[in-house]
């Protein structure tokens, strides 16, 4: 079980690092993943980029395997790199948001950011080791004020009250925000009234860190879309 979950985490860290390279080169991560996925030795599962990996199993089991290695006196650099890459990737995403949303002083202090999705994946209300919350904490460390909407959540755990404010709709979360950041791949987000969201945002920025939205649809709503591992030209 440890080995299986480590390998899945490895594939996700690989995809996220590859997505960053695609952005630098003007390539499309979807094309690259589709290409390598045709190789039956690789397949396309667990190669979609996102805001990092998390959940109830992958973080727990990768760290448990790391402890087994340490206790056994076995060096496993690839395992450490998989974990470190996940954290570094999340910091890189936060840097992207900060670059586009910083206030007059060049920081995120007092800047409101709207988050769409808090659970670690769609179809669950589970927040355990959610990458969305990891990104939220990094944004909060930089002083951002966070509002959020998640279709599966009607209230927050008490320990998250100081982190963000939960709202009942996506437009409510967008009220006065400098950007909207998609962190969970809920299919409901594709069908949102994006004109209503745009009307509540203080700036027309949407960071789609799950690559689930249609850039053309957001463009019609007057919004600027940025995906992950996708050419910026798609947003224009």
């Amino acid at each position: 079980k440890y080995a299986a979950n480590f390998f899945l985490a490895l594939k996700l860290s690989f995809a996220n690092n590859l997505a960053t390279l695609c952005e630098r080169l003007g390539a499309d991560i979807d094309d690259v993943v589709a290409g390598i996925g045709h190789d039956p030795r690789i397949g396309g599962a667990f190669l979609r980029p996102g805001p990092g990996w998390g959940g109830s199993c992958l973080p727990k089991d990768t760290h448990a395997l790391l402890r087994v290695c340490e206790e056994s006196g076995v060096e496993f650099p690839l395992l450490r790199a998989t974990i470190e890459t996940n954290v570094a990737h999340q910091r890189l995403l936060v840097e992207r948001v900060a670059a586009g949303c910083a206030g007059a002083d060049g920081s995120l202090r007092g800047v409101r950011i709207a988050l769409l999705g808090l659970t670690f994946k769609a179809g669950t209300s589970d927040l355990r080791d959610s990458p969305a919350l990891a990104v939220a904490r990094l944004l909060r460390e930089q002083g951002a004020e966070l509002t959020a909407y998640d279709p599966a959540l009607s209230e927050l755990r008490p320990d998250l009250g100081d982190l963000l404010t939960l709202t009942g709709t996506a437009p409510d979360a967008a009220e006065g925000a400098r950007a909207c950041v998609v962190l969970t791949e809920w299919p409901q987000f594709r069908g949102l009234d994006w004109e209503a969201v745009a009307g509540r945002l203080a700036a027309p920025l949407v960071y789609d860190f799950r690559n689930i939205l249609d850039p053309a649809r957001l463009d019609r709503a007057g919004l600027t879309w940025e995906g992950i591992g996708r050419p910026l030209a798609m947003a224009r």
Side-chain angles (χ1 to χ4, degrees):
K1 181 174 181 292
Y2 288 171
N5 281 331
F6 160 45
F7 191 72
L8 295 177
L10 172 64
K11 293 183 73 175
L12 291 169
S13 284
F14 167 79
N16 286 331
N17 240 164
L18 194 61
T20 301
L21 179 62
C22 286
E23 290 170 8
R24 299 293 190 274
L25 299 178
D28 189 330
I29 186 63
D30 284 0
D31 292 340
V32 177
V33 169
I36 64 177
H38 283 299
D39 187 328
R41 298 169 299 174
I42 298 174
F46 279 75
L47 286 176
R48 291 188 61 84
W53 45 266
S56 59
C57 292
L58 267 60
K60 173 176 62 67
D61 288 351
T62 50
H63 283 89
L65 183 58
L66 186 59
R67 286 194 298 273
V68 171
C69 291
E70 292 169 346
E71 292 166 0
S72 304
V74 174
E75 287 295 324
F76 208 148
L78 190 60
L79 175 55
R80 290 186 183 274
T82 296
I83 297 170
E84 292 167 359
T85 296
N86 194 48
V87 176
H89 175 69
Q90 291 168 340
R91 293 191 179 278
L92 185 63
L93 295 185
V94 169
E95 289 174 8
R96 282 182 60 182
V97 175
C101 303
D105 63 353
S107 79
L108 287 177
R109 283 191 297 272
V111 175
R112 178 167 292 182
I113 304 292
L115 309 180
L116 294 187
L118 295 175
T119 57
F120 84 90
K121 66 178 181 179
T124 181
S125 60
D126 196 343
L127 295 171
R128 286 177 292 177
D129 280 314
S130 170
L133 291 180
V135 171
R137 291 188 178 98
L138 291 172
L139 288 168
R140 192 74 182 91
E141 285 177 7
Q142 296 203 20
E145 296 180 0
L146 304 176
T147 53
Y149 166 68
D150 190 293
L153 301 177
S154 58
E155 60 182 8
L156 284 176
R157 294 188 327 227
D159 63 300
L160 297 177
D162 293 334
L163 177 63
L164 52 86
T165 299
L166 187 68
T167 66
T169 69
D172 286 345
E175 183 67 45
R178 291 286 298 273
C180 186
V181 183
V182 178
L183 293 172
T184 308
E185 71 280 20
W186 287 102
Q188 294 94 317
F189 294 158
R190 297 190 186 97
L192 284 177
D193 184 345
W194 284 102
E195 283 77 12
V197 172
R200 306 281 283 276
L201 285 169
L205 293 174
V206 175
Y207 293 94
D208 180 9
F209 290 153
R210 290 287 188 173
N211 285 350
I212 61 169
L213 304 178
D214 178 3
R217 171 71 183 89
L218 268 66
D219 182 65
R220 291 195 297 272
L223 294 165
T224 298
W225 172 91
E226 281 194 28
I228 179 170
R230 311 289 292 280
L232 292 180
M234 293 184 67
R236 295 189 288 272

